[in-house]
Amino acid sequence: MAAVFPAWIVIAAFLFEAAFVMGGFPSTLKLERRIPLGSHGLELSQLRERDRLRHGRLLQSSSGGVVDFPVLGTYDPFLVGLYYTKIQLGSPPRDFYVQIDTGSDVLWIGCNSCSGCPRTSGLQIELNLFDPGSSTTASLVPCSDQRCRAGLQSSDSSCSSQSNQCSYTFQYGDGSGTSGYYVSDLLHFSSILEGSMITNNTASIMFGCSVSQTGDLTKSDRAVDGIFGFGQQSLSVISQLSSQGVTPRVFSHCLNGNNGGGGVLVLGEIVEPNIVYTPLVPSQPHYNLDLLSISVGGKVLSISPSVFSTSSNQGTIVDSGTTLAYLAEEAYDAFMTAITNAVSQTVRPILSKGNQCYLITSSVNDIFPQVSLNFAGGASLILNPQDYLVQQNSVGGAAAWCIGFQKIQGQGITILGDLVLKDKIFVYDLANQRIGWTNYDCSMSVNVSTNLNTARTEFVNAGQMSNDGSSLDQTRITIALLLPIIMMLTGLLLS
């Protein structure tokens, strides 16, 4: 006769097994905004210059499980930093640090034969070069590969009839560039499948092997191993994984703007009841939205709708790689006038190195108005004062707060960077060609849908799992995932 064990022993066994599974390959991939040792303040002009180079890159670049990337680091626009994550590639798997870039599509890594690849990083991370010959699962990608042919249509790949090798050359607006060839190898990750099971997983992906880097890409101060393109073209990792049924064709992030920093990035859909959505502008290489108007203190500004229309050199782009936020010239002038008029009776405006700033002795929330960016479909992005102001310094006991929105002289581009994206959930729903958002405390965990293809939606608690599986949040996640099983078994044993 089979032995009968007390219910608590069975429950403990299940919890132990789950802890063992979650304590193997890390259940999360870290996404960090790393800063150099010491706090080096930056002027707004330096931030604008860094974003200008970034925008040059932007403007010149022509149903499964959920993968969780908890965000680490502290957000501060006056500290030099970038968002990056650690991924594992090859067999045996090796770690690589790559910058998260929603303005490009391709994942590429510096390779062992690279000329100009930095070998050290001021971000205090160990750089690695990918060696296709050292991975037992790596293979070169020929021109006949359908992924290479798809990349030809978006200019993300090229082919040489002589070598039959699929290759690429990317030239960025800041003068930097990279070139190399494509390889196919395994990406290692942990995913949360339907049924809330966390499993180790691999998928074969095609990515670039960089053999040459020039310009700022050769510098060591903020060097990483490569760039993780998060765009929506066919060669992006999100497109490749979703086409294989590994992940949904949607990703989400929530960047914490408070002192603690951190946040969440997932390949999946963060689900929150207050999320509002607006359609993506079709047939655009970037994440373009249809901005209709701007309101300050509840009053719509007098700006011609044509200022926000989308064309080859005009429109509104959501870009987490940009530090500040940028408005088309006509919209910027109207915005600045409205803000100054709203606060002129209570604060003293000053110019600090060409930037419009204000000396404040009380809370900015008590003085500055709420701003609303109004998009197609009735979705509005509500900005509190900290979402368009940055604190630069103190003058005689008063804090100097400066307008974080900048003007792109003579251009019609509006770019929404980290300044306005922080403290909000953002969902990039590529399957339904829309972007959604809502205000949120990004230090908290989030609910993520594990299935977008059925009427039944399941949720997991993502964003707070630690690497060693020992955190209180991970224990809570484990218990939450196993609670239905525990209740069922308890009922059986007690019946």
Side-chain angles (χ1 to χ4, degrees), residues 270-346:
I270 296 178
V271 181
E272 183 68 19
N274 296 322
I275 291 179
V276 295
Y277 286 91
T278 188
L280 281 167
V281 179
S283 305
Q284 297 298 313
H286 306 298
Y287 293 114
N288 283 77
L289 301 181
D290 188 5
L291 178 62
L292 302 179
S293 65
I294 300 176
S295 302
V296 174
K299 182 179 180 180
V300 177
L301 303 184
S302 180
I303 305 172
S304 171
S306 63
V307 172
F308 302 121
S309 62
T310 302
S311 64
S312 59
N313 60 353
Q314 187 171 308
T316 301
I317 298 172
V318 178
D319 175 34
S320 62
T322 291
T323 302
L324 302 173
Y326 294 77
L327 288 174
E329 186 171 359
E330 183 177 332
Y332 175 86
D333 292 339
F335 174 79
M336 289 300 301
T337 299
I339 294 295
T340 299
N341 289 341
V343 301
S344 60
Q345 301 300 315
T346 53

Side-chain angles (χ1 to χ4, degrees), residues 87-94 96 107 109 111 130-141 145 147 182-189 201-209 237 240-241 244:
I87 62 174
Q88 289 194 320
L89 295 169
S91 301
R94 295 193 64 194
F96 299 95
L107 166 65
I109 306 288
C111 277
F130 182 77
D131 181 5
S134 297
S135 174
T136 59
T137 49
S139 62
L140 302 181
V141 178
D145 191 294
R147 295 170 296 181
Y182 285 106
V183 298
S184 181
D185 209 342
L186 294 180
L187 171 69
H188 300 257
F189 54 93
N201 215 335
T202 61
S204 178
I205 63 167
M206 172 173 149
F207 59 93
C209 193
V237 170
Q240 292 188 61
L241 292 181
Q244 298 176 47

Side-chain angles (χ1 to χ4, degrees), residues 438-449:
T438 188
N439 290 341
Y440 197 78
D441 180 355
C442 297
S443 65
M444 298 174 59
S445 55
V446 296
N447 288 327
V448 183
S449 171

